[in-house]
């Protein structure tokens, strides 16, 4: 036997990530390897994640590893080297618990002014939904009674083994057909079933006179107790998975009739629970589940991840005591604001009816653009593509209007697992995406892992500056088998559809030439094996390292296309770590130097007759879109939900005017000057005058000041004049807090000069009935919202002119008695001299 002692230097102790490193390494050897925590006296099997976690090893604990067996010498050297050189680097800071009570963001004034009874929670899945509040519970093994009587020890062992094998088969079948998010959950549960210590604990609990059911329950309680006491929030959330697997094992042994897991919803329901296992969540009728409230848990639990994938509004960390006696009553969960409304008064109901109208209007309007090609107002095509991380995302992306997949981030296929996907698995994943594409092209980016995207089983050491470190193409030579397997899988899949290969993090021509040599070698191998592939599959590179911008002409001679990674290119060009709060103000993609760099790249690529796109977050920013159109990009790729809105924006832009704007922006001296230029451009681009019929409503049923300000702000959002309607409304309320804008005579003139209004506007609403506005009653509302960059004191001049006109009875009568929206528009334009 060989042993060595060391001190644990992991700040978070031994939780899942470091335990997985140790388990993976130790399972390469046949020797028995034990890990003993000298503080607790607990010894665990180093080949089991669960057993390692069970040693409760914390920061600065003294530990001993003992190795005994045929290959103990080799195992000793490898394990000791790992502990001495790599172990302290294989952990990463865990997620914080998020917002605590008292740290929640302020609510929008339009909502907070309603003084609705509500309970705050941490929002982990957006949207809102209303239903009857029903309490549901995760599996409580203490409550299980009337357990099956024990038979002979041999019969109980056989029952347990049959159930165990049946559950493993069930998970494998589920994995074959599960969608991406569900597959992640199933993989986690399958890992528990395969854990050697988990099986050993089950067998150990099957003592004389004990039934298989008692052994399973004892095992569940054993690991639940360990995980609940963990200092790691992540590990505490994994306790649900243990309970889930153990309960499913009971069902596999005895049948679902004996151990029922079904939670039946009888109508629109909001469920509240301490926690909920993933399988229990999947059993719920999603058409009736309108919201989920968890008193425990966090954003990493598998149940929460599933809730997001099904778009169920979800809160965690809610104090159930604050829900009082609301069980059986109607409540509303708002997963955007992070609250549960416990008393749905008429004003609250009307507030969410208006929210629903806005959502429906946006959905209907953008639906018209989903099936259209990206095209500017002057007829210039711009391909609008989607960024995805798994083939399961491809179908909804194309359904949402994507004209192509501009970035398939394949590194996600390699992360959060114990070994790399093999060639066939990758081939099948790419073929699934091809099937969804129906002939449209897909750009597959080869693995961009290492550095800030760690993959545990590759054991790449942690780095002080991962963004400038050992990542992407830089690791391909060391992990050449991994890289070649991926290229083979892409080439094989290219026989079935339009694929392109893209290499990340290229910084020199040498890297391009090396990749081409490897690709040529793989092509030749496939030909010898008579495996079909696209002989003309395009090869491209990411432009994210500034050095490439200065050799772009040479690169054009070697590759077929380029895609600009605006996120990394910005931080590399500006020497800014975008995750460092101290320097984030310097991370600005509107810096004239960055704009000049982009324009140089695009124009140089086009001079050589090649194709260039952009796939960073910049592409989805509507305010920057005119500059990107001005550059003449062939394609802009973004998250799929942003595509319809971007198509709509593109359709309103003239590429020639955008080019003139870009030239002006590149001549600016500061980012702030560029921002002002863009704001001015947006105001000039709109052909909507200050007063227009789309911002006028007559005889509407609005019953409070809050409803008026919300509805008029929402109308501006729908008219494309405002992007952040709640923030605009808050600016209007800030003015109201200084003094009421009620003028008497039944009129009010709320007003603001705000950065959140993109197109200045006068909004009008004649109400069906007067409402209270400060000390006055108002029935005719004229709301003035001007862009903060608007020249001079225009808003005060208009405000003063309006105030003077309202003093005139004839003007008031014209507006109050107007027979149509057109009459109001004409009156205001004439009296305010806006024609």
């Amino acid at each position: 036997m060989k042993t060595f002692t060391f001190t644990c230097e992991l700040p978070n102790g031994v939780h899942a990530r470091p335990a997985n490193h140790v388990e993976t390494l130790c399972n390469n050897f046949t020797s028995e390897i034990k890990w003993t925590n000298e503080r607790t006296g607990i010894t665990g099997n180093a080949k089991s994640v669960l057993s390692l976690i069970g040693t409760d090893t914390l920061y600065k604990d003294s530990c001993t590893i003992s190795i005994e067996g045929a290959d103990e010498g080799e195992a000793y050297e490898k394990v000791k080297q790992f502990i001495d050189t790599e172990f302290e680097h294989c952990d990463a800071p865990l997620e914080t618990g998020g917002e605590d009570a008292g740290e929640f963001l302020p609510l929008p004034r339009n909502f907070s002014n309603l003084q609705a009874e509500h309970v705050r929670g941490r929002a982990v899945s957006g949207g809102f939904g209303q239903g009857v509040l029903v309490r549901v519970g995760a599996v409580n093994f203490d409550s299980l009674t009337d357990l099956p009587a024990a038979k002979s020890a041999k019969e109980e062992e056989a029952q347990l083994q049959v159930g165990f094998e049946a559950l493993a088969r069930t998970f494998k079948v589920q994995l074959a057909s599960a969608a991406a998010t569900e597959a992640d959950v199933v993989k986690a549960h399958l890992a528990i079933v395969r854990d050697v210590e988990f099986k050993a604990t089950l067998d150990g609990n099957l003592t004389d006179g004990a039934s298989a059911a008692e052994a399973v329950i004892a095992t569940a309680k054993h690991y639940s107790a360990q995980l609940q006491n963990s200092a790691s929030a992540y590990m505490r959330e994994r306790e649900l998975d243990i309970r889930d697997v153990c309960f499913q094992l009971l069902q596999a042994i005895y049948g679902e009739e004996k151990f029922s897991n079904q939670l039946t919803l009888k109508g629109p329901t909001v469920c509240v629970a301490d926690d909920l296992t993933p399988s229990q969540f999947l059993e719920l009728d999603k058409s009736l589940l309108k919201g989920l409230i968890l008193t425990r848990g966090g954003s990493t639990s598998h149940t929460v991840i599933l809730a997001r994938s099904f778009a169920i509004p979800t809160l965690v960390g809610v104090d159930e005591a604050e829900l009082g006696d609301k069980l059986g009553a109607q409540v509303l969960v708002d997963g955007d604001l992070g609250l549960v409304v416990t008393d749905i008064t008429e004003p609250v109901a009307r507030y969410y009816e208006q929210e629903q109208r806005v959502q429906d209007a946006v959905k209907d309007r953008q639906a018209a653009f989903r099936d259209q090609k990206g095209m500017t107002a002057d007829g210039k095509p711009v391909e609008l593509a989607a960024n995805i991380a798994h083939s399961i995302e491809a179908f909804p992306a194309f359904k949402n209007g994507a004209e192509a997949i501009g970035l398939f981030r394949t590194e996600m296929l390699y992360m959060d697992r114990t070994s790399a996907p093999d060639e066939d698995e990758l081939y099948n994943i790419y073929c699934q995406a091809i099937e969804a594409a129906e002939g449209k092209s897909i750009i597959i980016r080869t693995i961009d892992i290492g550095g800030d995207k760690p993959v545990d089983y590759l054991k790449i050491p942690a780095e002080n500056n991962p963004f400038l470190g050992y990542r992407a193409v830089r690791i391909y030579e060391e992990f050449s088998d991994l890289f070649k397997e991926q290229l083979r899988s892409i080439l094989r899949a290219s026989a079935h559809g339009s694929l392109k290969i893209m290499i990340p993090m290229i910084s020199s021509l040498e890297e391009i030439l090396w990749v081409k040599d490897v690709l040529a070698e793989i092509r030749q191998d496939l030909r010898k094996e008579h495996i079909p592939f696209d002989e003309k599959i395009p090869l491209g590179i990411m432009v994210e390292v500034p050095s490439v911008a200065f050799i772009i002409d040479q690169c054009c001679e070697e590759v077929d296309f380029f895609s600009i990674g605006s996120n990394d290119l910005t931080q590399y060009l500006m020497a800014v770590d975008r995750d460092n709060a101290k320097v984030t103000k310097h991370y600005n993609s509107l810096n004239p130097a960055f704009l000049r760099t982009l324009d140089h790249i695009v124009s140089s690529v086009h001079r050589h007759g090649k194709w260039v796109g952009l796939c960073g977050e910049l592409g989805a920013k509507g305010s920057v879109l005119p500059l990107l159109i001005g550059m003449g990009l062939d394609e802009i790729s973004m998250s799929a939900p942003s595509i319809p809105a971007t198509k709509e924006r593109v359709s309103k832009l003239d590429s020639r005017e955008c080019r003139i704007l870009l030239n002006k922006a590149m001549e600016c001296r500061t980012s702030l000057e560029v921002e002002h230029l863009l704001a001015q451009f947006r105001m000039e681009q709109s052909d909507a005058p200050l007063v227009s019929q789309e911002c006028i409503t007559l005889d509407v049923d609005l019953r409070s000041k809050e409803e008026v300000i919300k509805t008029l702000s929402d109308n501006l959002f729908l008219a494309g004049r405002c992007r952040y309607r709640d923030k605009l409304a808050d600016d209007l309320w800030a003015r109201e807090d200084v003094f009421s804008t009620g003028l008497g005579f039944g009129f009010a003139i709320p007003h603001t000069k705000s950065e959140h209004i993109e197109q200045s506007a006068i909004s009008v609403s004649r109400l069906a009935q007067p409402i209270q506005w400060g000390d006055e009653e108002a029935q005719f509302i004229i709301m003035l919202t001007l862009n903060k960059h608007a020249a001079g004191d225009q808003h005060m001049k208009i405000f003063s002119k309006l105030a003077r006109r309202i003093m005139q009875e004839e003007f008031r009568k014209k507006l109050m008695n107007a027979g149509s929206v057109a009459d109001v528009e004409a009156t205001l334009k004439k009296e305010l001299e806006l024609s």
Side-chain angles (χ1 to χ4, degrees):
M1 178 187 291
K2 291 181 175 292
T3 65
F4 65 91
T5 301
F6 64 97
T7 299
C8 176
E9 298 293 343
L10 301 178
N12 298 301
V14 176
H15 60 90
R17 183 186 294 274
N20 185 60
H21 279 284
V22 176
E23 177 214 36
T24 303
L25 174 61
C26 291
N27 274 308
N28 291 322
F29 307 102
T30 59
S31 293
E32 185 179 69
I33 305 176
K34 296 294 185 183
W35 175 302
T36 301
N37 181 346
E38 302 295 347
R39 176 182 60 84
T40 63
I42 301 174
T43 296
N45 180 356
K47 295 182 178 182
S48 161
V49 168
L50 291 173
S51 186
L52 283 166
I53 293 168
T55 64
D56 195 25
T57 301
L58 304 178
Y59 179 57
K60 292 298 183 182
D61 279 354
S62 177
C63 301
T64 298
I65 288 182
S66 58
I67 307 172
E68 184 175 15
D71 56 359
E72 65 183 35
E74 182 187 0
Y76 175 86
E77 289 181 12
K78 295 289 187 182
V79 174
K80 190 172 190 306
Q81 180 186 22
F82 172 77
I83 294 295
D84 289 344
T85 62
E86 298 182 43
F87 184 57
E88 65 178 302
H89 302 297
C90 70
D91 192 11
L94 297 178
E95 281 192 26
T96 61
E99 296 166 320
D100 296 320
E103 294 181 348
F104 298 115
L105 294 175
L107 296 172
R109 286 289 299 276
N110 283 330
F111 181 86
S112 63
N113 283 6
L114 302 180
Q115 298 184 328
E117 290 183 15
H118 67 275
V119 176
R120 296 301 298 267
R122 186 155 63 92
V124 291
S125 181
F128 60 89
Q130 179 179 335
V132 175
L133 185 64
V134 173
R135 199 182 202 296
V136 295
V139 177
N140 181 353
F141 289 99
D142 287 325
S143 67
L144 296 181
T145 58
D146 190 27
L147 297 177
K151 302 175 184 176
S152 69
K154 190 173 182 179
E155 286 177 295
E156 293 300 325
E157 286 175 10
Q159 266 194 302
L160 181 60
Q161 186 60 32
V162 168
F164 203 79
E165 292 172 357
L167 183 58
R169 287 196 301 272
T170 297
F171 286 154
K172 289 176 183 177
V173 170
Q174 290 174 351
L175 197 57
S177 60
T181 306
E182 291 180 52
D184 290 339
V185 176
V186 176
K187 286 176 186 175
H189 289 184
L190 188 57
I192 293 172
V193 171
R194 288 173 172 169
D195 190 288
V196 293
E197 199 64 26
F198 179 72
K199 182 62 166 64
T201 304
L202 278 169
D203 292 339
N205 284 324
L206 197 62
T207 56
D208 285 341
S211 67
E214 289 170 328
V216 172
I217 292 171
T219 300
K221 290 181 176 180
H222 168 73
Y223 286 114
S224 290
Q226 283 187 349
L227 295 175
Q228 283 176 344
N229 292 327
S230 173
S232 161
Y234 178 88
M235 290 314 302
R236 289 195 298 273
E237 290 175 23
R238 299 285 78 74
E239 186 260 342
L240 270 181
D241 295 307
I242 288 287
R243 273 195 275 159
D244 205 350
V245 169
C246 287
F247 192 80
Q248 290 184 73
L249 181 54
L250 289 174
Q251 291 179 316
I253 297 170
Y254 298 104
E256 293 188 19
E257 290 184 5
K258 176 63 180 175
F259 292 97
S260 175
N261 193 29
Q262 192 166 2
L263 302 172
T264 303
L265 306 184
K266 298 179 179 178
T269 304
V270 171
C271 288
V272 60
D274 290 332
D275 45 39
L276 205 62
T277 66
S279 62
Q280 283 180 310
F281 175 85
L282 292 172
E283 286 290 328
L284 293 171
D285 185 340
K286 308 306 179 300
S287 67
L288 297 176
L289 182 61
K290 301 303 178 182
L292 185 60
I293 304 167
L294 301 176
T295 62
R296 302 194 314 182
S299 59
T300 67
S301 81
H302 283 138
T303 302
V304 167
I305 293 169
L306 287 169
R308 287 194 202 108
S309 72
F310 284 97
I312 304 297
T314 303
L315 307 182
V316 299
V318 176
D319 184 352
E320 188 176 354
E322 294 187 42
L323 294 175
D325 57 353
K326 299 299 179 181
L327 289 177
Q330 288 281 329
V331 298
L332 187 147
V333 176
D334 190 324
D336 298 316
L337 298 182
L339 55 85
V340 185
V341 180
T342 56
D343 183 14
I344 306 174
T345 60
E346 184 182 7
V348 169
R350 290 173 61 84
Y351 176 93
Y352 283 101
E353 286 171 6
Q354 172 63 13
E355 283 290 286
Q356 190 64 56
R357 279 194 289 270
V358 172
Q359 288 188 12
D360 292 344
V362 170
K363 184 178 179 181
D364 292 344
R365 189 183 70 202
Q366 293 180 352
F369 291 89
R370 282 197 182 94
D371 298 328
Q372 296 182 17
K373 290 186 177 296
M375 187 80 68
T376 64
D378 57 321
K380 183 172 182 179
V382 183
E383 186 176 82
L384 295 174
N387 300 335
I388 66 172
H390 197 283
S391 60
I392 200 70
E393 298 178 71
F395 179 76
F398 287 116
K399 189 176 180 182
N400 209 45
E403 299 175 61
I405 299 299
L407 175 63
F408 190 151
R409 297 185 181 94
T410 59
E411 57 271 13
M412 303 303 176
L413 305 177
Y414 292 76
M415 299 172 75
D416 296 324
R417 52 191 295 161
T418 56
S419 61
D422 62 25
E423 181 183 323
D424 287 339
E425 182 181 348
L426 291 171
Y427 166 77
N428 289 328
I429 289 171
Y430 302 146
C431 286
Q432 287 170 8
I434 288 170
E435 185 178 359
E438 297 182 341
K440 299 182 178 72
S441 71
I442 299 173
I443 297 176
I444 298 181
R445 183 176 74 182
T446 54
I447 45 176
D448 182 6
I449 53 181
D452 63 316
K453 298 173 185 171
V455 171
D456 296 344
Y457 51 84
L458 296 185
K459 299 180 176 60
I460 298 173
E463 299 175 286
N464 289 333
N465 195 336
F467 289 108
L468 298 179
Y470 195 47
R471 57 177 285 202
V473 71
R474 298 173 179 181
I475 73 167
Y476 290 176
E477 193 167 357
E478 178 181 352
F479 300 99
S480 60
D481 290 343
L482 198 73
F483 180 49
K484 289 177 180 178
E485 271 200 340
Q486 182 173 36
L487 290 181
R488 277 181 62 93
S489 62
I490 296 171
L491 285 172
R492 285 173 55 197
S494 71
H496 308 291
S498 177
L499 294 187
K500 300 176 184 178
I501 300 172
M502 182 163 68
I503 312 297
M505 198 70 182
I506 291 289
S507 60
S508 67
L509 205 61
E510 288 89 343
E511 291 165 335
I512 295 175
L513 296 175
W514 180 81
V515 167
K516 291 184 72 173
D517 286 343
V518 174
L519 193 57
E521 175 189 331
I522 294 171
R523 288 173 189 258
Q524 190 59 30
D525 289 343
L526 292 175
R527 293 186 190 107
K528 288 179 182 177
E529 297 170 39
H530 303 292
I531 297 175
F533 65 93
D534 179 4
E535 291 280 359
K536 295 182 179 179
I537 186 171
L539 174 67
I541 65 170
M542 289 282 290
V543 183
E544 47 196 342
V545 180
S547 58
V548 169
F550 299 96
I551 56 168
I552 200 76
D553 55 333
Q554 296 174 333
C555 294
C556 285
E557 297 171 1
E558 300 294 338
V559 302
D560 302 301
F561 69 93
F562 301 82
S563 188
I564 299 167
S566 61
N567 305 341
D568 276 344
L569 184 58
T570 302
Q571 74 170 348
Y572 291 143
L573 187 70
M574 310 308 298
V576 173
D577 178 355
R578 63 178 185 262
D579 293 328
N580 185 338
K582 293 281 188 182
V583 295
T584 48
K585 66 178 181 180
H586 301 293
Y587 181 83
N588 193 328
S589 299
L590 293 183
N591 188 296
F594 179 73
L595 297 178
R596 291 185 184 193
T597 303
L598 286 188
D599 188 53
H600 165 71
I601 292 167
V602 176
S603 58
S604 297
V605 170
H606 283 167
R607 275 198 302 273
H608 287 79
K610 298 294 174 74
W611 179 98
V612 58
L614 182 142
C615 62
E617 294 175 7
L618 198 64
K621 292 186 177 179
S623 59
V624 185
L625 187 62
L627 297 178
L628 303 181
I629 297 297
M631 289 171 194
L633 286 160
D634 299 293
E635 176 244 46
I636 302 173
S637 189
M638 62 200 68
S639 63
S642 301
I643 290 174
T646 304
K647 283 186 176 182
E648 182 181 13
R649 292 188 189 108
V650 168
S651 71
K652 297 175 182 178
L653 295 172
D654 185 297
S655 65
R656 296 159 298 188
E657 293 176 355
C658 290
R659 181 68 221 186
I660 294 170
L661 173 70
L662 175 64
N663 290 339
K664 290 179 180 177
M666 291 191 295
E667 292 301 317
C668 289
R669 294 158 60 90
T670 67
S671 303
L672 186 59
E673 287 182 22
V674 177
E675 286 182 27
H676 289 170
L677 186 68
L678 288 172
Q680 187 64 35
F681 178 79
R682 288 193 294 271
M683 287 189 286
E684 293 173 354
Q685 280 297 298
S686 174
D687 56 2
L690 195 61
V691 177
S692 65
Q693 294 186 28
E694 65 182 351
C695 295
I696 301 173
T697 58
L698 298 182
D699 306 321
V700 290
D701 178 25
L702 300 179
R703 302 177 188 179
S704 68
K705 193 174 182 178
E706 287 75 21
E707 286 192 12
V708 170
I709 290 178
K710 175 172 174 55
T711 301
L712 293 184
S713 299
D714 288 349
N715 288 348
L716 290 169
F717 168 75
L718 293 173
R721 298 190 179 214
C722 161
R723 281 191 299 155
Y724 304 107
R725 52 201 175 102
D726 282 339
K727 292 180 179 179
L728 174 63
D730 285 349
D731 285 347
L732 287 158
W733 278 108
R735 175 70 69 180
E736 292 293 322
D737 289 340
V738 177
F739 61 85
S740 172
T741 54
L743 296 182
F745 308 104
F747 279 75
I749 314 179
H751 57 281
T752 187
K753 193 173 184 180
S754 171
E755 64 179 331
H756 303 299
I757 188 78
E758 292 193 343
Q759 295 291 336
S760 297
I762 293 177
S763 304
V764 175
S765 184
R766 187 174 69 192
L767 309 182
Q769 298 294 330
I771 62 171
Q772 197 66 33
W773 200 282
D775 295 331
E776 307 283 345
E777 278 197 338
Q779 188 171 3
F780 204 101
I781 316 299
I782 304 175
M783 188 170 84
L784 177 60
T785 49
L786 293 189
N787 183 283
K788 75 168 187 177
H789 301 297
D793 57 354
Q794 181 190 14
H795 74 296
M796 287 310 300
K797 290 180 179 177
I798 296 176
F799 180 84
S800 299
K801 191 177 289 187
L802 266 174
R804 289 197 300 271
R805 291 292 189 276
I806 288 172
M807 295 299 112
Q808 301 171 7
E809 185 178 1
E810 184 179 353
F811 176 73
R812 298 198 303 270
K813 284 183 177 180
K814 280 184 180 179
L815 293 178
M816 282 291 193
N817 299 325
S820 66
V821 166
D823 290 343
V824 174
E825 177 189 34
T827 298
L828 287 175
K829 284 184 174 180
K830 178 181 178 182
E831 295 293 335
L832 299 179
E833 300 172 350
L834 298 174
S835 302

